[in-house]
Amino acid sequence: MTDTAQEPRVLHLSALLKRPVADRAGHSLGRLADVIVRLRGRDYPLVTGVVAGIGGVELFVPIEQVDSFDADGPVRLVSAKVDLRPFERREGEVLLRADVLGHRLIDVTDVHLVRASDVELVREDTHWLLARVDTHRPHRLLGVFKERSTIRAWRDWKAFEPLIGHGRSVIARRPFARIRRLRPAEIADLIEDASTEEEREILGHVHQDPELEADVFEELEEDLASRLLGARTNAEIAEVLTRMRADDAADAISDLPQARRRPVLDLLPAGQRTKVLTLMGFNPDSAGGLMGMDFLAMPGRTTVGEALEAVRGAGALQPEALTSVYTIDDEGSLLAVARLVALLQADPAATLQEVSESDPVRVGPDTDLVDVALLMTDYNLVTLPVVDEDRVLLGVITVDDVLEATLPEDWRRREVAPPPDGHRDAGEPAP
């Protein structure tokens, strides 16, 4: 592309679409149908060509054949000679009109889905780059959408993750997908707000990290998780449930059709299957139904230093469950509990028995949800052990599980207040 004096440094896609395409002499050839950019990981996407409608066929014109984008005139080509083969998208290519304009993007900063009203191209040296996205909503007046020039929301392209739908291009950008840096609950919120095609693409990103995928399914609404899991094979379901907490896996299996429960259970590892079957035997609104079966318990003669080392090595356990270390006897009966803060403040050479609270607050597996909540509130507990009639430690209830069970059913749909610094743009400054 030549660097002409009249060529602007900034272009908006909305102003380019349907512009005449002409040769250098000004003879009309057709109209601009789309602009093509190539994804480049963490760099701004590079404009590689345009799609021109010529003679009723959409043809690819490489950017090297574009002489100039005049401020108001036609898109001028170097010559009238163009490749007459119909345009076919290649790996890593994004069509700005077809894939971005009017489509939704993931706002990685504020973690929600927004619609792209326009995109901005910026000239850098001899190249055009996709730099910004306008996410303002057109004004609706008397049934017609009106553009209001005073309402614009131009933001850095790097603050977004596009949902472009094209499989080969999705693969090309996966190593740099920012969505996998979001919290599982945030990704779950995105999926719950997504269309069927959007949720498929988001889950495609998440599937690349099996641990994250399991965490996301734990955060999804039960009906949606059941639908998404139900669309998979038994082996695929078992693969996800294997990495989930046993209590969440038990809930997920209970939501499957009856005919699929046993086949999925049989595909789980023996340890996970035993935990899930145990939990499925309890009322979901009881202490047994709420508890998790992963906790840290050891003999009272264990030193504080050894206990802290065990906490450091328990990366697979739920962090909330690690706020307490339980002391048990040789039969597994609960003797005492040591809070993590007490362990950190104690002499590493002391024993658990010396720093633990004897006769801890505990409940049986049939204790109902209200009593569990009252006990945890009255005693300011983050965790609550569940024991059988012989005081054998069966599991541990964490405060987050109680909150989830006691909040209104539609709590996930509430809009939470953003943090005071929540509007910072995560993207780098545009070129």
Side-chain angles (χ1 to χ4, degrees):
M1 176 184 289
T2 59
D3 190 5
T4 57
Q6 72 270 25
E7 189 170 32
R9 306 294 299 181
V10 175
L11 290 170
H12 294 158
L13 181 65
S14 58
L16 279 176
L17 294 177
K18 296 186 178 179
R19 269 200 195 179
V21 175
D23 61 18
R24 183 176 290 180
H27 299 126
S28 179
L29 302 175
R31 289 192 176 274
L32 188 89
D34 217 325
V35 175
I36 306 165
V37 298
R38 176 168 293 279
L39 298 172
R40 301 190 298 163
R42 294 182 177 89
D43 294 328
Y44 291 98
L46 177 71
V47 175
T48 58
V50 300
V51 179
I54 299 175
V57 180
E58 291 193 340
L59 305 177
F60 171 66
V61 180
I63 196 65
E64 294 78 15
Q65 286 188 242
V66 178
D67 183 56
S68 67
F69 292 116
D70 291 342
D72 298 307
V75 176
R76 295 181 181 272
L77 305 185
V78 173
S79 72
K81 295 181 179 180
V82 294
D83 190 338
L84 297 179
R85 290 175 297 179
F87 167 71
E88 291 186 6
R89 187 206 307 244
R90 295 174 295 178
E91 182 177 300
E93 290 183 337
V94 173
L95 305 180
L96 295 186
R97 180 191 63 79
D99 299 332
V100 178
L101 194 63
H103 293 260
R104 296 209 291 182
L105 315 167
I106 298 173
D107 183 333
V108 182
T109 305
D110 295 333
V111 195
H112 64 281
L113 295 170
V114 297
R115 198 169 300 279
S117 299
D118 206 347
V119 297
E120 185 175 271
L121 306 176
V122 174
R123 182 76 177 271
E124 185 179 78
D125 298 327
T126 60
H127 303 294
W128 284 97
L129 305 176
L130 169 55
R132 297 180 181 85
V133 182
D134 177 19
T135 60
H136 89 287
R137 295 182 179 181
H139 177 53
R140 189 181 180 94
L141 178 63
L142 300 177
V144 179
F145 283 102
K146 300 280 188 181
E147 292 289 342
R148 293 191 296 184
S149 59
T150 57
I151 302 178
R152 284 288 183 176
W154 291 109
R155 294 181 56 197
D156 196 318
W157 168 261
K158 293 182 180 180
F160 302 94
E161 185 71 38
L163 296 172
I164 61 175
H166 182 242
R168 293 170 63 193
S169 293
V170 169
I171 293 172
R173 78 169 188 269
R174 269 182 184 159
F176 308 97
R178 285 155 288 184
I179 185 174
R180 281 185 272 162
R181 297 204 296 266
L182 300 179
R183 299 182 182 91
E186 293 173 331
I187 299 175
D189 287 342
L190 291 175
I191 294 173
E192 288 164 7
D193 187 38
S195 66
T196 301
E197 290 184 359
E198 291 167 344
E199 72 184 19
R200 186 182 302 117
E201 185 165 347
I202 294 172
L203 283 172
H205 284 303
V206 174
H207 186 66
Q208 304 305 305
D209 184 339
E211 296 295 337
L212 176 60
E213 182 180 39
D215 291 341
V216 169
F217 269 96
E218 289 177 357
E219 299 291 344
L220 287 172
E221 292 180 346
E222 290 184 5
D223 290 345
L224 179 56
S226 178
R227 175 174 67 80
L228 294 174
L229 285 174
R232 302 187 177 195
T233 67
N234 291 340
E236 290 170 339
I237 296 173
E239 184 180 358
V240 175
L241 299 189
T242 296
R243 293 179 170 85
M244 290 173 65
R245 290 169 44 192
D247 52 335
D248 290 312
D251 292 339
I253 289 181
S254 297
D255 289 334
L256 291 174
Q258 183 70 39
R260 302 194 68 183
R261 295 176 190 171
R262 174 52 63 179
V264 171
L265 279 167
D266 290 342
L267 291 170
L268 295 178
Q272 179 78 334
R273 181 168 63 249
T274 299
K275 293 176 183 178
V276 169
L277 285 171
T278 300
L279 292 168
M280 290 177 68
F282 295 112
N283 184 322
D285 292 326
S286 69
L290 288 172
M291 70 181 183
M293 299 185 70
D294 295 319
F295 49 85
L296 205 55
M298 48 194 64
R301 59 182 177 275
T302 305
T303 67
V304 169
E306 291 170 336
L308 289 173
E309 187 62 32
V311 171
R312 280 191 288 269
L317 268 64
Q318 180 188 8
E320 291 80 5
L322 291 174
T323 57
S324 302
V325 175
Y326 298 93
T327 300
I328 57 173
D329 62 18
D330 293 340
E331 283 73 42
S333 296
L334 177 65
L335 300 177
V337 61
R339 307 301 174 191
L340 184 58
V341 171
L343 294 177
L344 290 170
Q345 295 172 338
D347 182 351
T351 64
L352 277 182
Q353 187 173 357
E354 293 172 335
V355 301
S356 294
E357 172 191 342
S358 60
D359 194 29
V361 179
R362 58 200 178 275
V363 293
D366 295 326
T367 306
D368 66 36
L369 171 61
V370 174
D371 287 341
V372 168
L374 288 173
L375 277 172
M376 296 189 77
T377 301
D378 287 344
Y379 291 93
N380 297 317
L381 300 176
V382 177
T383 61
L384 179 63
V386 181
V387 300
D388 66 11
E389 57 187 11
D390 296 320
R391 201 166 169 166
V392 173
L393 184 58
L394 301 176
V396 173
I397 300 171
T398 57
V399 67
D400 61 310
D401 290 326
V402 176
L403 285 172
E404 184 172 343
T406 54
L407 285 171
E409 291 185 2
D410 63 347
W411 70 272
R412 288 185 185 275
R413 297 186 177 90
R414 291 175 60 93
E415 290 288 342
V416 298
D421 61 346
H423 294 290
R424 292 182 181 175
D425 198 334
E428 301 174 14

